[in-house]
Short mmCIF file of all heavy atoms in Angstrom, two decimals:
data_model
loop_
_atom_site.label_atom_id
_atom_site.label_comp_id
_atom_site.label_asym_id
_atom_site.label_seq_id
_atom_site.Cartn_x
_atom_site.Cartn_y
_atom_site.Cartn_z
N ILE A 297 29.56 57.88 -26.03
CA ILE A 297 29.46 59.32 -26.29
C ILE A 297 29.74 60.08 -25.01
O ILE A 297 29.03 59.93 -24.02
CB ILE A 297 28.05 59.67 -26.83
CG1 ILE A 297 27.82 58.87 -28.12
CG2 ILE A 297 27.91 61.16 -27.05
CD1 ILE A 297 26.42 58.91 -28.62
N ALA A 298 30.81 60.88 -25.05
CA ALA A 298 31.15 61.75 -23.91
C ALA A 298 30.56 63.12 -24.19
O ALA A 298 30.82 63.73 -25.22
CB ALA A 298 32.66 61.83 -23.76
N LEU A 299 29.76 63.60 -23.25
CA LEU A 299 29.10 64.90 -23.41
C LEU A 299 29.92 65.99 -22.72
O LEU A 299 30.62 65.74 -21.75
CB LEU A 299 27.69 64.85 -22.82
CG LEU A 299 26.78 63.76 -23.40
CD1 LEU A 299 25.46 63.74 -22.66
CD2 LEU A 299 26.57 63.98 -24.89
N LYS A 300 29.82 67.23 -23.25
CA LYS A 300 30.57 68.34 -22.66
C LYS A 300 30.06 68.71 -21.28
O LYS A 300 30.81 69.13 -20.42
CB LYS A 300 30.54 69.55 -23.59
CG LYS A 300 31.37 69.34 -24.83
CD LYS A 300 31.56 70.59 -25.61
CE LYS A 300 32.46 70.29 -26.81
NZ LYS A 300 32.70 71.44 -27.62
N LYS A 301 28.76 68.56 -21.06
CA LYS A 301 28.20 68.80 -19.73
C LYS A 301 27.07 67.81 -19.50
O LYS A 301 26.52 67.24 -20.43
CB LYS A 301 27.72 70.25 -19.59
CG LYS A 301 26.61 70.64 -20.53
CD LYS A 301 26.20 72.07 -20.30
CE LYS A 301 25.02 72.40 -21.21
NZ LYS A 301 24.49 73.71 -20.97
N ARG A 302 26.75 67.62 -18.23
CA ARG A 302 25.67 66.69 -17.88
C ARG A 302 24.34 67.19 -18.41
O ARG A 302 24.11 68.39 -18.48
CB ARG A 302 25.59 66.53 -16.37
CG ARG A 302 26.76 65.75 -15.84
CD ARG A 302 26.57 65.48 -14.36
NE ARG A 302 27.46 64.41 -14.00
CZ ARG A 302 27.10 63.32 -13.36
NH1 ARG A 302 25.86 63.17 -12.98
NH2 ARG A 302 27.96 62.37 -13.09
N ILE A 303 23.47 66.24 -18.73
CA ILE A 303 22.14 66.62 -19.20
C ILE A 303 21.11 66.22 -18.16
O ILE A 303 21.33 65.35 -17.34
CB ILE A 303 21.81 65.97 -20.57
CG1 ILE A 303 21.89 64.45 -20.50
CG2 ILE A 303 22.74 66.49 -21.63
CD1 ILE A 303 21.44 63.75 -21.76
N LYS A 304 19.97 66.89 -18.24
CA LYS A 304 18.89 66.60 -17.30
C LYS A 304 18.31 65.22 -17.59
O LYS A 304 18.35 64.74 -18.72
CB LYS A 304 17.77 67.63 -17.45
CG LYS A 304 18.14 69.02 -17.04
CD LYS A 304 16.90 69.90 -17.17
CE LYS A 304 17.29 71.20 -17.82
NZ LYS A 304 16.15 71.99 -18.22
N LYS A 305 17.76 64.63 -16.57
CA LYS A 305 17.16 63.31 -16.70
C LYS A 305 16.03 63.33 -17.73
O LYS A 305 15.89 62.41 -18.53
CB LYS A 305 16.64 62.83 -15.34
CG LYS A 305 16.13 61.42 -15.37
CD LYS A 305 15.70 60.96 -14.00
CE LYS A 305 15.18 59.54 -14.07
NZ LYS A 305 14.76 59.03 -12.78
N SER A 306 15.24 64.39 -17.75
CA SER A 306 14.13 64.48 -18.70
C SER A 306 14.63 64.53 -20.14
O SER A 306 14.04 63.91 -21.03
CB SER A 306 13.26 65.70 -18.40
OG SER A 306 14.02 66.89 -18.50
N ASP A 307 15.75 65.26 -20.38
CA ASP A 307 16.32 65.30 -21.73
C ASP A 307 16.86 63.93 -22.13
O ASP A 307 16.70 63.50 -23.27
CB ASP A 307 17.46 66.34 -21.81
CG ASP A 307 16.93 67.76 -21.81
OD1 ASP A 307 15.74 67.96 -22.12
OD2 ASP A 307 17.72 68.68 -21.49
N TYR A 308 17.49 63.27 -21.18
CA TYR A 308 18.02 61.93 -21.46
C TYR A 308 16.88 60.98 -21.82
O TYR A 308 17.00 60.19 -22.75
CB TYR A 308 18.80 61.40 -20.25
CG TYR A 308 19.26 59.99 -20.45
CD1 TYR A 308 20.34 59.69 -21.27
CD2 TYR A 308 18.57 58.93 -19.85
CE1 TYR A 308 20.73 58.38 -21.48
CE2 TYR A 308 18.97 57.63 -20.05
CZ TYR A 308 20.05 57.36 -20.86
OH TYR A 308 20.42 56.07 -21.08
N GLU A 309 15.77 61.07 -21.10
CA GLU A 309 14.63 60.20 -21.38
C GLU A 309 14.04 60.49 -22.76
O GLU A 309 13.65 59.57 -23.48
CB GLU A 309 13.58 60.33 -20.29
CG GLU A 309 14.02 59.67 -18.98
CD GLU A 309 13.08 59.96 -17.82
OE1 GLU A 309 12.10 60.72 -17.99
OE2 GLU A 309 13.35 59.42 -16.73
#
Side-chain angles (χ1 to χ4, degrees):
I297 301 169
L299 303 175
K300 289 191 178 180
K301 62 179 184 175
R302 289 186 162 232
I303 58 174
K304 293 184 224 168
K305 186 177 179 179
S306 60
D307 286 340
Y308 175 76
E309 288 172 357

